[in-house]
């Protein structure tokens, strides 16, 4: 998952920090004033590699002043563009808007770290205070009539005399963004639109804080006699976490997926499994002051009201117009095509699990907290495949090397570790690598890795950039990061991960490679189309299971011996195992996201809506949605994935189809010709080209859903 860009979410996709010829000197003075400030967050990045964030000097107390100063500087620049006496041109309007953003953008790099990686109660108070101010700031830009008129003048002229492709794409995207965010509304509607955004910004902030509260405060502590079934590595890690939390002698199961998932898979303590499962899936839904149900209802009402001001029937209709799906109907058609096969497979999986439970003499009926446990038993029975045995060969360090190998083969990138202390980091666990071209040695950027879970860090895995590539003011390097929540091992122990976690690790690295591969001129073109931008990262997951990676990097953490060929064969045979669970838990969340935004929000009861919708879908009772509504941060802590969670499935159709292009090639997944097209058409353009066109240039045709069904071992629907 790409981290929700703070700038994109809070600032309505308006490109920030502009300048114009008339006010260049004033702009320079403003930048110099900021750079000379005692506030580290306002100072220009210095040091090697074109300057890097001063993460080691970052202070929460500085963030409020830095954001407020950045906003002031930015609004002055926007006003200079909007009120210019010169006729509007591409250079003095669009390029001027693309040209800077340096101070505020840099401040938001620190803001993002303090929000996602190093959150604290002190920061959360400041964030809550800043949220409505940032919303007002955004509205002052998106609703600036003079600015929009200049943008429209350039846009109208470009429709008669098109610009070069990347320039035209920036004009089109900028005009569309302003139009979608109310630039054409009359004064009274603009005022209401801005007020709604301000109110939503606070609700999003509250939603996130509530989920984080429940993640931090619902910890299950075990005694020594409650560890049955758990691996030594997991037990040692749980002991360390408990000690760090002041519970020496106990074992902590934290309320995060990385801790919950292995516990539910291996613990033989059924009542404890139920407790851990309940804690995790009840985040934001505990009927207390941190309950999110009423917040969600209010968010849905405000989103509907806002798009109705623009003339749309519902939020999904407004949101999807610039996505690959184009309409909610198209997105629903895809999900509905896959859903019956997914729940049909779940029924088969549950029957297999129930049979195993009966054979073992376990007098139970499969419940959600049993699914992972008995699925693992089925895996062992059907495929003689033990996930914990596989895990012994999945070391985080070796997987990192494997990703570098793939990046070298496909993208010609080389990753070289940077000595500790040479580049500032925000936590001792963070490591940094330099990325260069393998042949020329040309510097491309830096890759930061923050791998471990800790208090104050949001759950999940994500990728983000601190600086993106552009060339319109000279080439810039890329500062990209990957962030995970692996459980930190006890000292001297290897970090061993599950196959699913290894897949996610590759996925997020795919986002980083997308950043490093960018060949775009203007900052706006680094943005993504939500139902396309997950495609590149999902595609990179496929290289984990290639022979080249398996044979070189999957070695036993104690003996160093390569993974046995017999075990590899079992892994490949079991490749479609548990696809019912994986597809259904995801797709249920995606369908819920869309249905919530298509429903009338007037008097919506979120808990009731969730239950009734799942019943209508015939959701299997043995498993929950991947993200239940009260903690569905993708959708309700901002707008990045709102009515867009289906995008992972849309992207997976592309992924499955593109994978078949490699399978059909003479060199397989490392075929140089196909890899060349992959980089040229699917990674380098970012949003400089229409995604559908880019995919056709790569594949020679549109993607086909049949590839997805084959991938998952589902029956292929008959064409009418």
């Amino acid at each position: 998952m790409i981290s929700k860009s703070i700038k994109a979410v809070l600032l309505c996709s308006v490109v920030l920090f502009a300048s114009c010829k008339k006010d260049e000197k004033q702009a320079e003075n403003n930048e110099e004033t900021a750079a000379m400030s005692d506030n580290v967050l306002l100072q220009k990045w210095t040091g090697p590699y074109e300057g890097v964030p001063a993460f080691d000097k970052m202070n929460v107390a500085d963030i409020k002043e830095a954001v407020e100063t950045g906003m002031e500087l930015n609004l002055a620049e926007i006003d200079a563009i909007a009120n210019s006496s010169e006729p509007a041109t591409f250079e003095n309007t669009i390029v001027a808007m693309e040209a800077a953003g340096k101070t505020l953008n840099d401040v938001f790099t620190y803001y993002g770290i303090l929000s996602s990686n190093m959150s604290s109660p002190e920061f959360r108070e400041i964030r809550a205070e800043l949220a409505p101010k940032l919303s007002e700031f955004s509205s002052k830009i998106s609703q600036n009539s003079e600015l929009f008129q200049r943008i429209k003048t350039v846009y109208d002229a470009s429709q008669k005399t098109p610009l070069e492709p990347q320039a035209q794409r920036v004009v089109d995207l900028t005009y569309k963004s302003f139009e979608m965010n109310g630039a054409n509304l009359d004064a009274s509607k603009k005022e209401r639109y801005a007020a709604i955004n301000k109110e939503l910004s606070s609700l999003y902030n509250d939603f996130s804080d509530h989920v984080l509260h429940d993640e931090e405060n619902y910890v299950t502590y075990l005694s020594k006699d409650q560890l049955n079934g758990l691996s030594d590595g997991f037990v040692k890690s749980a002991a360390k976490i408990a000690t760090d939390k002041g519970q020496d002698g106990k074992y902590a199961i934290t309320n995060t997926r990385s801790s919950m998932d292995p516990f539910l898979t291996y613990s033989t303590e059924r009542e404890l499994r139920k407790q851990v499962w309940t804690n995790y899936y009840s985040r934001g839904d505990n009927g207390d002051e941190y309950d999110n149900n009423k917040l969600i209802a209010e968010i849905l009402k405000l989103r509907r009201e806002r798009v109705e001001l623009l003339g749309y029937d519902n939020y999904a209709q407004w949101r999807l117009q610039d996505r690959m799906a184009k309409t909610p109907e198209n997105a629903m058609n895809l999900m509905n095509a896959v859903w019956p096969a997914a729940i049909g497979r779940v029924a088969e999986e549950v029957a297999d699990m129930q049979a195993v439970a009966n054979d073992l003499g376990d007098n139970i009926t499969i419940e959600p907290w049993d699914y992972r446990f008995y699925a693992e038993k089925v895996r062992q029975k059907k495929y003689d495949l033990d996930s914990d045995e596989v895990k012994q060969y999945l070391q985080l360090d070796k997987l990192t090397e494997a990703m570098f190998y793939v990046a070298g083969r496909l993208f010609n990138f080389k990753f070289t570790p940077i000595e500790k202390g040479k580049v500032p980091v925000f936590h001792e666990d963070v490591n940094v690598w330099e990325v260069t071209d393998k042949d020329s040695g040309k510097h491309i950027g830096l890759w930061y890795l923050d791998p471990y879970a800790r208090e104050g860090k949001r759950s999940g895995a994500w990728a983000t950039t601190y600086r993106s590539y552009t060339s319109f003011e000279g080439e810039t390097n890329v500062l990209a990061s990957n962030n995970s929540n692996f459980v930190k091992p006890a000292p001297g122990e290897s970090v061993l991960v599950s196959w699913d976690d290894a897949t996610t690790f590759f996925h997020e690295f795919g986002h980083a490679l997308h950043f490093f591969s960018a060949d775009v001129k203007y900052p706006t073109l680094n943005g993504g189309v939500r139902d396309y931008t997950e495609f590149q990262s999902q595609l990179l997951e496929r290289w984990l299971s290639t022979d080249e990676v398996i044979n070189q990097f999957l070695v036993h953490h104690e003996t160093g011996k390569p993974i046995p060929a017999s075990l590899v064969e079992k892994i490949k045979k079991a490749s479609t195992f548990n696809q019912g669970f994986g597809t259904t838990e995801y797709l249920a969340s995606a369908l819920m996201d869309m249905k919530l935004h298509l429903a009338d929000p007037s008097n919506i009861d979120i808990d009731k809506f969730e239950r009734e919708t799942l019943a209508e879908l015939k959701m299997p009772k043995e498993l929950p949605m991947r993200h239940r509504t009260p903690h569905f941060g993708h959708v309700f802590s901002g707008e990045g994935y709102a009515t867009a969670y289906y995008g992972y499935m849309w992207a997976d159709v592309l992924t499955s189809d593109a994978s078949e292009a490699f399978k059909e090639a003479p060199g397989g997944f490392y075929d140089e010709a196909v890899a060349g097209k992959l980089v040229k058409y699917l990674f380098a353009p970012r949003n400089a080209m229409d995604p559908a066109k880019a995919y056709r240039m790569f594949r020679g045709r549109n993607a086909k859903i049949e590839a997805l069904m084959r991938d998952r071992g589902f029956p292929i629907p008959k064409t009418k």
Side-chain angles (χ1 to χ4, degrees), residues 256-268:
T256 61
R257 182 171 283 272
S258 60
S259 190
M260 173 275 295
D261 209 299
F263 183 80
L264 294 185
T265 303
Y266 296 109
S267 173
T268 60

mmCIF file with all atom_site columns, all heavy atoms in Angstrom, residues 256-268:
data_model
loop_
_atom_site.group_PDB
_atom_site.id
_atom_site.type_symbol
_atom_site.label_atom_id
_atom_site.label_alt_id
_atom_site.label_comp_id
_atom_site.label_asym_id
_atom_site.label_entity_id
_atom_site.label_seq_id
_atom_site.pdbx_PDB_ins_code
_atom_site.Cartn_x
_atom_site.Cartn_y
_atom_site.Cartn_z
_atom_site.occupancy
_atom_site.B_iso_or_equiv
_atom_site.pdbx_formal_charge
_atom_site.auth_seq_id
_atom_site.auth_comp_id
_atom_site.auth_asym_id
_atom_site.auth_atom_id
_atom_site.pdbx_PDB_model_num
ATOM 1   N N   . THR A 1 256 ? -1.963 -6.180  16.670 1.00 0.00 ? 256 THR A N   1
ATOM 2   C CA  . THR A 1 256 ? -1.597 -5.870  15.292 1.00 0.00 ? 256 THR A CA  1
ATOM 3   C C   . THR A 1 256 ? -1.638 -7.165  14.483 1.00 0.00 ? 256 THR A C   1
ATOM 4   O O   . THR A 1 256 ? -1.524 -8.264  15.038 1.00 0.00 ? 256 THR A O   1
ATOM 5   C CB  . THR A 1 256 ? -0.175 -5.282  15.198 1.00 0.00 ? 256 THR A CB  1
ATOM 6   O OG1 . THR A 1 256 ? 0.760  -6.253  15.690 1.00 0.00 ? 256 THR A OG1 1
ATOM 7   C CG2 . THR A 1 256 ? -0.055 -4.002  16.024 1.00 0.00 ? 256 THR A CG2 1
ATOM 8   N N   . ARG A 1 257 ? -1.767 -7.029  13.183 1.00 0.00 ? 257 ARG A N   1
ATOM 9   C CA  . ARG A 1 257 ? -1.860 -8.219  12.327 1.00 0.00 ? 257 ARG A CA  1
ATOM 10  C C   . ARG A 1 257 ? -0.606 -9.080  12.430 1.00 0.00 ? 257 ARG A C   1
ATOM 11  O O   . ARG A 1 257 ? -0.688 -10.312 12.424 1.00 0.00 ? 257 ARG A O   1
ATOM 12  C CB  . ARG A 1 257 ? -2.102 -7.801  10.871 1.00 0.00 ? 257 ARG A CB  1
ATOM 13  C CG  . ARG A 1 257 ? -2.254 -8.976  9.919  1.00 0.00 ? 257 ARG A CG  1
ATOM 14  C CD  . ARG A 1 257 ? -2.700 -8.526  8.538  1.00 0.00 ? 257 ARG A CD  1
ATOM 15  N NE  . ARG A 1 257 ? -4.103 -8.198  8.492  1.00 0.00 ? 257 ARG A NE  1
ATOM 16  C CZ  . ARG A 1 257 ? -5.086 -9.067  8.241  1.00 0.00 ? 257 ARG A CZ  1
ATOM 17  N NH1 . ARG A 1 257 ? -4.802 -10.340 8.039  1.00 0.00 ? 257 ARG A NH1 1
ATOM 18  N NH2 . ARG A 1 257 ? -6.337 -8.676  8.212  1.00 0.00 ? 257 ARG A NH2 1
ATOM 19  N N   . SER A 1 258 ? 0.559  -8.456  12.514 1.00 0.00 ? 258 SER A N   1
ATOM 20  C CA  . SER A 1 258 ? 1.807  -9.235  12.519 1.00 0.00 ? 258 SER A CA  1
ATOM 21  C C   . SER A 1 258 ? 1.940  -10.098 13.770 1.00 0.00 ? 258 SER A C   1
ATOM 22  O O   . SER A 1 258 ? 2.651  -11.101 13.767 1.00 0.00 ? 258 SER A O   1
ATOM 23  C CB  . SER A 1 258 ? 3.020  -8.299  12.403 1.00 0.00 ? 258 SER A CB  1
ATOM 24  O OG  . SER A 1 258 ? 3.055  -7.391  13.491 1.00 0.00 ? 258 SER A OG  1
ATOM 25  N N   . SER A 1 259 ? 1.259  -9.733  14.847 1.00 0.00 ? 259 SER A N   1
ATOM 26  C CA  . SER A 1 259 ? 1.281  -10.537 16.068 1.00 0.00 ? 259 SER A CA  1
ATOM 27  C C   . SER A 1 259 ? 0.077  -11.478 16.110 1.00 0.00 ? 259 SER A C   1
ATOM 28  O O   . SER A 1 259 ? 0.194  -12.658 16.480 1.00 0.00 ? 259 SER A O   1
ATOM 29  C CB  . SER A 1 259 ? 1.262  -9.612  17.289 1.00 0.00 ? 259 SER A CB  1
ATOM 30  O OG  . SER A 1 259 ? 1.513  -10.312 18.479 1.00 0.00 ? 259 SER A OG  1
ATOM 31  N N   . MET A 1 260 ? -1.079 -10.956 15.722 1.00 0.00 ? 260 MET A N   1
ATOM 32  C CA  . MET A 1 260 ? -2.317 -11.734 15.736 1.00 0.00 ? 260 MET A CA  1
ATOM 33  C C   . MET A 1 260 ? -2.265 -12.923 14.790 1.00 0.00 ? 260 MET A C   1
ATOM 34  O O   . MET A 1 260 ? -2.658 -14.040 15.145 1.00 0.00 ? 260 MET A O   1
ATOM 35  C CB  . MET A 1 260 ? -3.485 -10.802 15.355 1.00 0.00 ? 260 MET A CB  1
ATOM 36  C CG  . MET A 1 260 ? -4.841 -11.452 15.162 1.00 0.00 ? 260 MET A CG  1
ATOM 37  S SD  . MET A 1 260 ? -5.137 -12.153 13.483 1.00 0.00 ? 260 MET A SD  1
ATOM 38  C CE  . MET A 1 260 ? -5.115 -10.692 12.459 1.00 0.00 ? 260 MET A CE  1
ATOM 39  N N   . ASP A 1 261 ? -1.797 -12.702 13.572 1.00 0.00 ? 261 ASP A N   1
ATOM 40  C CA  . ASP A 1 261 ? -1.863 -13.731 12.538 1.00 0.00 ? 261 ASP A CA  1
ATOM 41  C C   . ASP A 1 261 ? -1.129 -15.014 12.934 1.00 0.00 ? 261 ASP A C   1
ATOM 42  O O   . ASP A 1 261 ? -1.711 -16.106 12.899 1.00 0.00 ? 261 ASP A O   1
ATOM 43  C CB  . ASP A 1 261 ? -1.330 -13.161 11.225 1.00 0.00 ? 261 ASP A CB  1
ATOM 44  C CG  . ASP A 1 261 ? -1.968 -13.830 10.021 1.00 0.00 ? 261 ASP A CG  1
ATOM 45  O OD1 . ASP A 1 261 ? -1.808 -15.047 9.888  1.00 0.00 ? 261 ASP A OD1 1
ATOM 46  O OD2 . ASP A 1 261 ? -2.631 -13.142 9.226  1.00 0.00 ? 261 ASP A OD2 1
ATOM 47  N N   . PRO A 1 262 ? 0.160  -14.948 13.311 1.00 0.00 ? 262 PRO A N   1
ATOM 48  C CA  . PRO A 1 262 ? 0.842  -16.201 13.693 1.00 0.00 ? 262 PRO A CA  1
ATOM 49  C C   . PRO A 1 262 ? 0.261  -16.830 14.957 1.00 0.00 ? 262 PRO A C   1
ATOM 50  O O   . PRO A 1 262 ? 0.251  -18.059 15.088 1.00 0.00 ? 262 PRO A O   1
ATOM 51  C CB  . PRO A 1 262 ? 2.305  -15.769 13.901 1.00 0.00 ? 262 PRO A CB  1
ATOM 52  C CG  . PRO A 1 262 ? 2.277  -14.291 14.053 1.00 0.00 ? 262 PRO A CG  1
ATOM 53  C CD  . PRO A 1 262 ? 1.098  -13.806 13.288 1.00 0.00 ? 262 PRO A CD  1
ATOM 54  N N   . PHE A 1 263 ? -0.240 -16.007 15.884 1.00 0.00 ? 263 PHE A N   1
ATOM 55  C CA  . PHE A 1 263 ? -0.835 -16.572 17.091 1.00 0.00 ? 263 PHE A CA  1
ATOM 56  C C   . PHE A 1 263 ? -2.070 -17.398 16.737 1.00 0.00 ? 263 PHE A C   1
ATOM 57  O O   . PHE A 1 263 ? -2.235 -18.521 17.212 1.00 0.00 ? 263 PHE A O   1
ATOM 58  C CB  . PHE A 1 263 ? -1.212 -15.467 18.080 1.00 0.00 ? 263 PHE A CB  1
ATOM 59  C CG  . PHE A 1 263 ? -1.759 -16.015 19.377 1.00 0.00 ? 263 PHE A CG  1
ATOM 60  C CD1 . PHE A 1 263 ? -0.901 -16.486 20.358 1.00 0.00 ? 263 PHE A CD1 1
ATOM 61  C CD2 . PHE A 1 263 ? -3.131 -16.094 19.600 1.00 0.00 ? 263 PHE A CD2 1
ATOM 62  C CE1 . PHE A 1 263 ? -1.402 -17.031 21.542 1.00 0.00 ? 263 PHE A CE1 1
ATOM 63  C CE2 . PHE A 1 263 ? -3.634 -16.635 20.766 1.00 0.00 ? 263 PHE A CE2 1
ATOM 64  C CZ  . PHE A 1 263 ? -2.762 -17.104 21.748 1.00 0.00 ? 263 PHE A CZ  1
ATOM 65  N N   . LEU A 1 264 ? -2.942 -16.861 15.891 1.00 0.00 ? 264 LEU A N   1
ATOM 66  C CA  . LEU A 1 264 ? -4.151 -17.589 15.499 1.00 0.00 ? 264 LEU A CA  1
ATOM 67  C C   . LEU A 1 264 ? -3.827 -18.829 14.666 1.00 0.00 ? 264 LEU A C   1
ATOM 68  O O   . LEU A 1 264 ? -4.590 -19.790 14.642 1.00 0.00 ? 264 LEU A O   1
ATOM 69  C CB  . LEU A 1 264 ? -5.097 -16.681 14.710 1.00 0.00 ? 264 LEU A CB  1
ATOM 70  C CG  . LEU A 1 264 ? -5.726 -15.502 15.458 1.00 0.00 ? 264 LEU A CG  1
ATOM 71  C CD1 . LEU A 1 264 ? -6.727 -14.788 14.565 1.00 0.00 ? 264 LEU A CD1 1
ATOM 72  C CD2 . LEU A 1 264 ? -6.409 -15.959 16.743 1.00 0.00 ? 264 LEU A CD2 1
ATOM 73  N N   . THR A 1 265 ? -2.697 -18.806 13.986 1.00 0.00 ? 265 THR A N   1
ATOM 74  C CA  . THR A 1 265 ? -2.319 -19.941 13.139 1.00 0.00 ? 265 THR A CA  1
ATOM 75  C C   . THR A 1 265 ? -1.790 -21.117 13.959 1.00 0.00 ? 265 THR A C   1
ATOM 76  O O   . THR A 1 265 ? -2.054 -22.276 13.625 1.00 0.00 ? 265 THR A O   1
ATOM 77  C CB  . THR A 1 265 ? -1.256 -19.507 12.113 1.00 0.00 ? 265 THR A CB  1
ATOM 78  O OG1 . THR A 1 265 ? -1.771 -18.413 11.337 1.00 0.00 ? 265 THR A OG1 1
ATOM 79  C CG2 . THR A 1 265 ? -0.889 -20.651 11.169 1.00 0.00 ? 265 THR A CG2 1
ATOM 80  N N   . TYR A 1 266 ? -1.086 -20.825 15.040 1.00 0.00 ? 266 TYR A N   1
ATOM 81  C CA  . TYR A 1 266 ? -0.373 -21.911 15.718 1.00 0.00 ? 266 TYR A CA  1
ATOM 82  C C   . TYR A 1 266 ? -0.794 -22.187 17.162 1.00 0.00 ? 266 TYR A C   1
ATOM 83  O O   . TYR A 1 266 ? -0.548 -23.289 17.669 1.00 0.00 ? 266 TYR A O   1
ATOM 84  C CB  . TYR A 1 266 ? 1.137  -21.630 15.685 1.00 0.00 ? 266 TYR A CB  1
ATOM 85  C CG  . TYR A 1 266 ? 1.683  -21.613 14.292 1.00 0.00 ? 266 TYR A CG  1
ATOM 86  C CD1 . TYR A 1 266 ? 2.084  -20.417 13.694 1.00 0.00 ? 266 TYR A CD1 1
ATOM 87  C CD2 . TYR A 1 266 ? 1.756  -22.782 13.543 1.00 0.00 ? 266 TYR A CD2 1
ATOM 88  C CE1 . TYR A 1 266 ? 2.562  -20.397 12.393 1.00 0.00 ? 266 TYR A CE1 1
ATOM 89  C CE2 . TYR A 1 266 ? 2.227  -22.772 12.241 1.00 0.00 ? 266 TYR A CE2 1
ATOM 90  C CZ  . TYR A 1 266 ? 2.624  -21.574 11.664 1.00 0.00 ? 266 TYR A CZ  1
ATOM 91  O OH  . TYR A 1 266 ? 3.083  -21.557 10.380 1.00 0.00 ? 266 TYR A OH  1
ATOM 92  N N   . SER A 1 267 ? -1.396 -21.242 17.843 1.00 0.00 ? 267 SER A N   1
ATOM 93  C CA  . SER A 1 267 ? -1.747 -21.470 19.248 1.00 0.00 ? 267 SER A CA  1
ATOM 94  C C   . SER A 1 267 ? -2.820 -22.553 19.371 1.00 0.00 ? 267 SER A C   1
ATOM 95  O O   . SER A 1 267 ? -3.833 -22.538 18.671 1.00 0.00 ? 267 SER A O   1
ATOM 96  C CB  . SER A 1 267 ? -2.260 -20.175 19.883 1.00 0.00 ? 267 SER A CB  1
ATOM 97  O OG  . SER A 1 267 ? -2.750 -20.442 21.186 1.00 0.00 ? 267 SER A OG  1
ATOM 98  N N   . THR A 1 268 ? -2.597 -23.463 20.288 1.00 0.00 ? 268 THR A N   1
ATOM 99  C CA  . THR A 1 268 ? -3.579 -24.524 20.528 1.00 0.00 ? 268 THR A CA  1
ATOM 100 C C   . THR A 1 268 ? -4.609 -24.110 21.582 1.00 0.00 ? 268 THR A C   1
ATOM 101 O O   . THR A 1 268 ? -5.528 -24.875 21.888 1.00 0.00 ? 268 THR A O   1
ATOM 102 C CB  . THR A 1 268 ? -2.867 -25.811 21.004 1.00 0.00 ? 268 THR A CB  1
ATOM 103 O OG1 . THR A 1 268 ? -2.165 -25.525 22.219 1.00 0.00 ? 268 THR A OG1 1
ATOM 104 C CG2 . THR A 1 268 ? -1.891 -26.315 19.957 1.00 0.00 ? 268 THR A CG2 1
#
